[in-house]
Amino acid sequence: MIVSRYYIVKRLSIEVKMKILVPVKRAIDYNVKVRVKPDNSAVDLTNTKMSINPFCEIAVEEAVRLKEKGVATEIVVVSIGDKACQEQIRTALALGADRGIQIDTDAQLDSLQIAKLLQKVVEEESPELVILGKQSIDSDNNQTGQMLAALTGMPQGTFASEVNVDDGKVNVTREIDGGLQTVQLTLPAVVTTDLRLNEPRYASLPNIMKAKRKPLDVKSAADFGVDLTSHVSVIKVTPPPQREGGIKVADVAELVEKLKNEAKVI
Amino acid sequence: MAILVYAEHDNQHLKSETSKLITAAQKMGGDIHLLVAGENVGDIAQDAAKISGVAKVIVADNNAYAHQLAENIADLVLELGKAYSHILAAATTTGKNFMPRVAALLDVAQISDIIDVESDDTFVRPIYAGNAIATVKTSDAIKVVTVRAAAFDAASAEGSAPIENVETVKLAEKSAFVSESLTESERPELTAADVIISGGRGMQNGENFKLLEGIADKLGAAIGASRAAVDAGFVPNDMQVGQTGKIVAPQLYIAVGISGAIQHLAGMKDSKIIVAINKDEEAPIFQVADYGLVGDLFEVLPELESSL
Ligand SMILES: Cc1cc2nc3c(=O)[nH]c(=O)nc-3n(C[C@H](O)[C@H](O)[C@H](O)COP(=O)(O)OP(=O)(O)OC[C@H]3O[C@@H](n4cnc5c(N)ncnc54)[C@H](O)[C@@H]3O)c2cc1C
């Protein structure tokens, strides 16, 4: 009798509480054409339009959909950066996340330090699912989700194009070079998003207003007891080699002639 | 100094990325050991042993590695990798999946997607979808690096390295393989092809990709696509070329009905010759094309096929 009651309580507690943690990054807007600083030290971001990294936005959308389906009960967004990244947290709150955490730092952190900070957040928040973008379109590293999974001992489903949560497990369909692969992970788990997972909604004006009143905690990165020193130094950043503009050909005959006799590629 | 290189394969064949990884490893300097992990990979190991510059092939043949699950592969590479100065894998969906785990568990940074090697600790990599090129130096004792294979030439196949088996079995309990749907094609792989013809939103539907097939057959080309064509369901995801798809650098890349968004260019602008076929003469793709043909693809493609 006692055993079965325990069983019911346990099942209930699984079903009523499922928290999703969504780390988001403030990044250059994907429409902006980047310029390298003349001194070749970095990319010039002064007065550049910044947005939520597109893959992170897809992660927020997926979490919101899981909440709308009744699978998730709470969505916590976390961003690591200076005060400016509160803007991206507010964007995520406007899309439907419940509360935000800003981990305040001015330092340029690499994926490893980000993953270590997120590990601490995972320890504090105990989410059942962490959904992250597979890469950010600035550093193009594609590392943080995998590192977080490794550090926390959670299983990982990367480059997801479909996510199904059922009975303590999540099935993740992954976009791989040869096609698609589906893996099953025991919760808690880490999922990273690919482009085709969903199409994020636009935040409505009332939801943008509501987002302003949702809770946003600010914590200092220094308080987490994580070594934030980067192991990587940037020697220089240069523009890519520019391609010489080519020519227009008049018709197919000229194209084939050029490819055969000038370029010699067919 | 010794370098552990993770061999890219699909359990049937060694992939062309592997011999390009060896070239990248040679630029770092040191003995090169090539790890082949998978199930029934005996033949693959034989081929791996032939790559010039490989000092030893290490084979981990077990069902645990059959589907390249990140948790299992990372634990294997972690255990073997501690003895090395560098650990390299291709920046494919396999390498991208497990390598950051290895880095995190070694407490080192990962250097992703390198396109050149300046020295044993300094590497060159594209950032911002290839709109900037960063040279970075790592202070870590073990360098964990993924390599953009398209940026390196293949090492030749004149070697005969010894093959050694390891019995280490790493089997994670919290993740399991369920299923796979792999695209079958008689054509060369995108990342290995000398010629690629890609279609974009301008193709209008999947059926019209047949117009590319006849040309691909004649040129021995692989067929690629833009994200818009994949999103619209014309063709499967593994055909996407770009920042988030495959990075290619063939001798000839023909872009058909593709506008040339920066994210697409990120995946193909290092091709030797680029041809653009587009009805809009203002399309940005023409700015990177060696030969541009302004015209309606539905007229141009049949004519091109018959004149090859
Ligand atoms: C985070 C992020 C990542 C991305 N990653 C990628 C990626 O990896 N790869 C990628 O490709 N995109 C990627 N994109 C999308 C990219 O921004 C573009 O939306 C996409 O490349 C456009 O595809 P397209 O050129 O086929 O379509 P469009 O831009 O719609 O262009 C269609 C072209 O076809 C031409 N056309 C139409 N009809 C004809 C005809 N009858 N004859 C001749 N020409 C015709 C038109 O003139 C037009 O130039 C990404 C976007 C984001 C935000």
Side-chain angles (χ1 to χ4, degrees), chain A residues 8-245:
Chain A
I8 290 166
V9 170
K10 200 173 158 211
R11 290 247 351 154
L12 273 180
S13 72
I14 287 170
E15 273 159 27
V16 290
K17 261 193 111 223
M18 171 160 166
K19 190 193 284 186
I20 303 182
L21 181 70
V22 186
V24 301
K25 183 173 184 184
R26 175 180 169 88
I28 192 166
D29 187 84
Y30 79 94
N31 280 312
V32 174
K33 177 115 183 65
V34 305
R35 291 176 318 267
V36 170
K37 285 187 184 165
D39 68 356
N40 287 345
S41 61
V43 161
D44 191 354
L45 293 177
T46 33
N47 299 323
T48 311
K49 182 172 180 215
M50 303 294 280
S51 295
I52 183 168
N53 174 49
F55 292 97
C56 302
E57 192 177 14
I58 293 171
V60 175
E61 174 68 31
E62 196 62 18
V64 173
R65 289 186 191 190
L66 286 169
K67 194 177 169 194
E68 286 168 346
K69 277 195 231 160
V71 176
T73 45
E74 189 188 16
I75 303 167
V76 181
V77 210
V78 55
S79 191
I80 301 169
D82 62 18
K83 193 158 188 275
C85 75
Q86 288 190 7
E87 189 187 333
Q88 280 61 48
I89 297 176
R90 293 287 175 206
T91 306
L93 294 174
L95 291 173
D98 297 295
R99 64 184 167 88
I101 304 169
Q102 181 215 342
I103 300 184
D104 190 56
T105 172
D106 290 331
Q108 275 297 323
L109 302 179
D110 294 327
S111 310
L112 181 65
Q113 289 77 41
I114 298 285
K116 286 181 181 179
L117 286 169
L118 292 176
Q119 179 188 9
K120 300 286 178 192
V121 178
V122 165
E123 283 164 11
E124 275 172 21
E125 295 281 345
S126 312
E128 289 288 288
L129 200 56
V130 185
I131 312 182
L132 309 85
K134 75 165 180 180
Q135 75 191 66
S136 63
I137 61 166
D138 44 16
S139 56
D140 280 333
N141 271 323
N142 199 331
Q143 299 176 0
T144 305
Q146 297 87 316
M147 287 184 162
L148 176 65
L151 294 174
T152 55
M154 288 192 261
Q156 72 184 47
T158 53
F159 327 144
S161 64
E162 205 182 321
V163 172
N164 288 304
V165 180
D166 188 27
D167 203 20
K169 308 241 186 225
V170 56
N171 274 31
V172 180
T173 300
R174 312 177 48 235
E175 293 203 357
I176 60 171
D177 287 339
L180 295 169
Q181 181 191 63
T182 304
V183 292
Q184 185 172 71
L185 315 174
T186 304
L187 297 177
V190 172
V191 170
T192 76
T193 64
D194 217 316
L195 290 171
R196 276 168 285 276
L197 181 57
N198 61 51
E199 222 175 289
R201 69 195 64 192
Y202 291 96
S204 68
L205 198 57
N207 283 343
I208 293 172
M209 300 311 288
K210 256 208 302 212
K212 293 191 173 149
R213 294 189 302 271
K214 289 185 179 176
L216 197 171
D217 271 0
V218 181
K219 301 183 179 187
S220 167
D223 293 346
F224 284 83
V226 169
D227 178 5
L228 298 177
T229 352
S230 170
H231 306 187
V232 181
S233 51
V234 177
I235 310 276
K236 64 174 184 209
V237 176
T238 53
Q242 291 302 314
R243 277 190 90 95
E244 298 278 313

Side-chain angles (χ1 to χ4, degrees), chain A residues 116 153 158 177 231 243 262, chain B residues 97 107 140 174 246 271 291:
Chain A
K116 286 181 181 179
T158 53
D177 287 339
H231 306 187
R243 277 190 90 95
E262 193 175 87
Chain B
N97 196 29
D107 197 22
D140 286 315
K174 293 188 238 166
K246 296 201 171 114
S271 305
Y291 303 110

